[in-house]
């Protein structure tokens, strides 16, 4: 094997011009493959990051007003949701619904001294903000003790804290703001994931919000955290089942879509995921087609190599060289030509993508991202190596077959 490798590299060195001509197309092909895959991954990461503030596994159940009479009830009836309904949903769909979080929302005026702002107060439970990708940057989230003891504490957005308290840092914690005329102590500051979201909601314990603004115990909506709905079909099936079950539970017409609203992002996420998957496949196809030009170039050069070495190959056969050893010699030359120049193109492509990622790093905080990081993943490098080896085998197979099929008399007389 060592002697065969020595012969392969000697052949490449002796025919530098021919090898370079074959290698340039290979290097360009793998360079384009790496660049296209890097750009494609950056596109996927960029577009995906624009929706990282949206929870695709959350469904909002919002009561509405009936538009049809049903079972002795008149139309134009306002439906309500309460703790009993939340418990009912959780028990009926325990296999899909992992958590049920009621919500109370109230448009209200928040103030501190001579500063005030119109905002929405949201009664929340522990984990709600985390599940909705709302990041606490200072202080803490609402906890169970806040719920149990009806503590008048709140979590403000950095924007609201800056407006009311003239600060969004640690010194905002422990201060009090008036929410609807009731003093609440600030225990946390949050920031939206995306800079274009003008967040000014104030989060307070659900028990406090219900006590102050919903003494009748009615919720504005119920959030369901879902597990196992990974396809459009399963998602639609669950929605139909939930709507039908709630129509019987709340006694409204099963076709009255105005009575109950089911809002979720799963359909949108599945659409985006599907489109990005198509983009990824298309980029791989285009990149491989670009690499095919290099494979064709190496194949043509290897045919010329076999033709130039007709006498040498014929002499090897006369001296007892097996067909396998002759084929291996030609195949290895093609594979190493692909690998050597392929690595040159690969390193150039990785370097360019890394440079572009560094130069565009500050664009990640823009209002809408088109591209994310374009750094090439190790899986792509491994895949590119596999493609190069397979390409070398493809490029050298036909010339190698020609080498062992030539007539000995023709070879020795050439």
């Amino acid at each position: 094997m060592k002697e065969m490798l020595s012969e392969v590299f000697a052949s490449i060195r002796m025919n530098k011009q021919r090898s370079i001509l074959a290698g340039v197309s290979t290097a360009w092909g793998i360079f384009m493959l790496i660049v296209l895959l890097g750009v494609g991954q950056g596109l996927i990461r960029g577009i995906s990051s624009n929706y990282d503030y949206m929870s695709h596994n959350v469904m909002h159940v919002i009561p509405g007003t009936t538009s049809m009479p049903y079972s002795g009830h008149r139309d134009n009836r306002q439906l309500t949701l309460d703790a009993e309904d939340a418990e009912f949903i959780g028990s009926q769909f325990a296999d899909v619904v992992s958590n049920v979080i009621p919500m109370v929302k109230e448009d209200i005026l928040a103030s501190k001294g001579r500063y005030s702002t119109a905002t929405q107060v949201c009664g929340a439970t522990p984990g709600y903000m985390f599940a909705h990708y709302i990041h606490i940057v200072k202080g803490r989230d609402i906890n169970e003790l806040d719920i149990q003891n009806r503590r008048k504490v709140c979590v403000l957005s950095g924007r609201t804290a800056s407006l009311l308290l003239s600060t969004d840092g640690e010194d905002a914690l422990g201060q009090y703001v008036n929410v609807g005329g009731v003093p609440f102590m600030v225990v946390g500051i949050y920031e939206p994931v995306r800079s274009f979201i003008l967040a000014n909601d104030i989060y307070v314990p659900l028990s406090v919000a219900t006590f102050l603004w919903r003494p009748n115990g009615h919720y504005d909506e119920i959030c369901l955290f879902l597990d196992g709905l990974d396809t459009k079909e399963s998602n639609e099936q669950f929605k139909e089942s939930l709507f039908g079950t709630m129509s019987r539970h709340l006694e409204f017409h099963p076709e009255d879509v105005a009575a109950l609203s089911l809002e979720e992002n799963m359909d949108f996420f599945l659409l985006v995921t599907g489109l990005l998957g198509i983009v990824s496949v298309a980029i791989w196809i285009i990149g491989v087609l670009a690499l095919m030009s290099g494979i064709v170039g190496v194949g043509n050069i290897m045919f010329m190599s076999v033709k130039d070495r007709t006498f040498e190959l014929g002499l090897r056969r006369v001296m007892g060289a097996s067909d396998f050893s002759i084929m291996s010699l030609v195949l290895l030359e093609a594979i190493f030509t692909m690998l050597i120049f392929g690595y040159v193109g690969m390193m150039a492509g990785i370097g360019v993508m890394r440079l572009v990622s560094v130069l565009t790093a500050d664009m990640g905080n823009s209002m809408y991202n088109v591209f994310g990081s374009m750094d090439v993943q190790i899986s792509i490098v491994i895949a590119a190596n596999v493609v190069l080896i397979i390409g070398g085998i493809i490029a050298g197979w036909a010339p190698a077959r020609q080498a062992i099929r030539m007539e000995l008399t023709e070879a020795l007389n050439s």
Side-chain angles (χ1 to χ4, degrees), residues 98-158:
S98 61
N99 199 4
V100 179
I101 298 183
M103 283 291 294
V104 169
K105 296 182 178 181
E106 181 76 10
D107 293 328
I108 215 161
L109 187 71
S111 63
K112 174 71 173 180
R114 60 191 180 91
Y115 300 104
S116 63
T117 182
T119 184
Q120 184 179 67
V121 63
C122 301
T125 55
Y128 174 85
M129 300 180 72
F130 175 79
H132 282 73
Y133 300 94
I134 301 171
H135 299 319
I136 305 291
V137 294
K138 300 287 190 308
R140 64 173 178 84
D141 194 356
I142 304 296
N143 61 34
E144 286 291 348
L145 289 177
D146 296 331
I147 301 291
Q148 295 172 11
N149 299 326
R150 291 186 182 176
R151 293 173 176 170
K152 294 182 177 63
V153 295
C154 66
V155 179
L156 304 181
S157 69

Side-chain angles (χ1 to χ4, degrees), residues 66 68-77 250-253:
T66 60
M68 303 178 185
Y70 181 73
S71 187
H73 297 285
R74 61 178 178 81
D75 60 351
N76 203 33
R77 175 170 56 101
L250 299 176
E251 297 185 344
F252 64 86
H253 197 285

